[in-house]
Amino acid sequence: EAGVTQFPSHSVIEKGQTVTLRCDPISGHDNLYWYRRVMGKEIKFLLHFVKESKQDESGMPNNRFLAERTGGTYSTLKVQPAELEDSGVYFCASSQEWRGIQYFGAGTRLSVL
Amino acid sequence: GQQLNQSPQSMFIQEGEDVSMNCTSSSIFNTWLWYKQDPGEGPVLLIALYKAGELTSNGRLTAQFGITRKDSFLNISASIPSDVGIYFCAGNYNQGGKLIFGQGTELSVKP
C-alpha cells in the first residue's frame, strides 16, 4: 500500500511568486492534515480536512495560504505571493479515523529567496 | 497557543549508551506520541500513549505518559548508529485531530 506522497520534494522560488504543493493521502483516509516546520523549530499544524471539508484551519498563518481538497482525495496548498518567512518544510499527514494515527509524507522543502 | 517543551535539543552519544528525552506541557494532554524523523523523510510514529501512567515499549524504546498528563519521556536503550535522527514528541489535547509537536531532539550516535 502506498504511503502519503508529496510533490514536489523541493521547490525554490523567488519572493512574490506562487507555489502549489500537492499531497496524496493514503487511499481511504478521510482525514488529511498539513503541517509546517520552519528553521528547525517545532512542527506546526496548519489545517485539517475531513474528506473535502475544512475541519480546522486555525493554524493557517494568513490569507496568502489556500488549501483545497476537491473531491476529498488529494489536497493542494498554494502560497501566493510567497514571502521569505514561508520557507520551511511542509508536511502532509493522513489518518483513517478521527484522531487516529497520522502517517506523514516525506515533506516538501520550500525555499523562498 | 499550546506548546510542548522538549529537551534536550540535541544529544551526542556513544554507540551502546542509553538515551533519555522528555516533553512537558503546561496543559493536560489526552494523547502522547513519539515520532522519529530520518533525513529526507517524514516523521514516523514510534510509540503512542493513551492513558495517564501508561508505560509502553517497542523494542529498545520505552515511553511513558506522565501521571499528571502534562509530560512524557522516551528512553532508548543500547543505542546503535541507525538511531540517528530527530525525535519529536507530540500530543493531542482537545477533541480535534491536530497534533502539537515539541521542538525535536536531534540524536547523533558515534560508532
Side-chain angles (χ1 to χ4, degrees):
Chain A
E1 178 181 301
V4 177
T5 56
Q6 293 187 243
F7 182 83
S9 56
H10 292 86
S11 182
V12 181
I13 62 173
E14 293 188 351
K15 175 182 173 181
Q17 290 186 323
T18 297
V19 63
T20 300
L21 314 180
R22 172 171 170 144
C23 169
D24 286 76
I26 294 172
S27 178
H29 282 195
D30 288 339
N31 295 275
L32 187 149
Y33 303 82
W34 284 99
Y35 294 87
R36 176 174 75 170
R37 189 178 192 219
V38 174
M39 286 294 291
K41 295 186 178 179
E42 73 270 26
I43 299 172
K44 279 195 171 181
F45 168 83
L46 296 178
L47 89 161
H48 171 202
F49 282 101
V50 178
K51 297 186 180 179
E52 67 275 9
S53 299
K54 292 176 184 175
Q55 182 65 36
D56 181 355
E57 51 184 327
S58 61
M60 293 289 265
N62 51 61
N63 59 10
R64 295 185 294 103
F65 288 73
L66 175 64
E68 294 181 322
R69 193 183 182 195
T70 306
T73 54
Y74 71 90
S75 174
T76 58
L77 179 64
K78 182 162 70 173
V79 185
Q80 179 183 30
E83 298 289 344
L84 299 179
E85 64 264 26
D86 300 333
S87 295
V89 182
Y90 290 76
F91 291 107
C92 175
S94 72
S95 67
Q96 190 166 38
E97 299 169 354
W98 178 267
R99 297 184 65 194
I101 292 175
Q102 294 182 28
Y103 297 89
F104 282 74
T108 294
R109 181 173 294 277
L110 174 64
S111 298
V112 183
L113 306 179
Chain B
Q2 299 295 326
Q3 279 191 312
L4 291 182
N5 296 312
Q6 184 172 351
S7 64
Q9 286 190 330
S10 62
M11 300 183 74
F12 298 85
I13 62 171
Q14 198 78 27
E15 182 178 0
E17 290 183 352
D18 296 343
V19 171
S20 185
M21 58 193 80
N22 69 84
C23 273
T24 60
S25 169
S26 57
S27 302
I28 290 174
F29 275 63
N30 298 321
T31 305
W32 283 94
L33 307 167
W34 286 91
Y35 282 86
K36 182 193 177 193
Q37 185 185 5
D38 289 325
E41 302 291 330
V44 174
L45 183 67
L46 298 174
I47 292 179
L49 303 158
Y50 300 103
K51 294 181 182 179
E54 181 180 353
L55 182 70
T56 297
S57 294
N58 178 7
R60 293 177 296 105
L61 277 59
T62 301
Q64 185 160 30
F65 191 142
I67 288 290
T68 64
R69 295 170 63 191
K70 294 183 178 181
D71 62 305
S72 176
F73 72 74
L74 174 70
N75 288 342
I76 305 173
S77 63
S79 59
I80 59 178
S82 62
D83 290 335
V84 166
I86 303 176
Y87 292 79
F88 291 97
C89 63
N92 179 285
Y93 69 95
N94 61 14
Q95 296 304 311
K98 75 178 184 183
L99 296 177
I100 308 298
F101 281 83
Q103 301 95 327
T105 295
E106 186 163 8
L107 179 64
S108 300
V109 180
K110 186 177 179 181

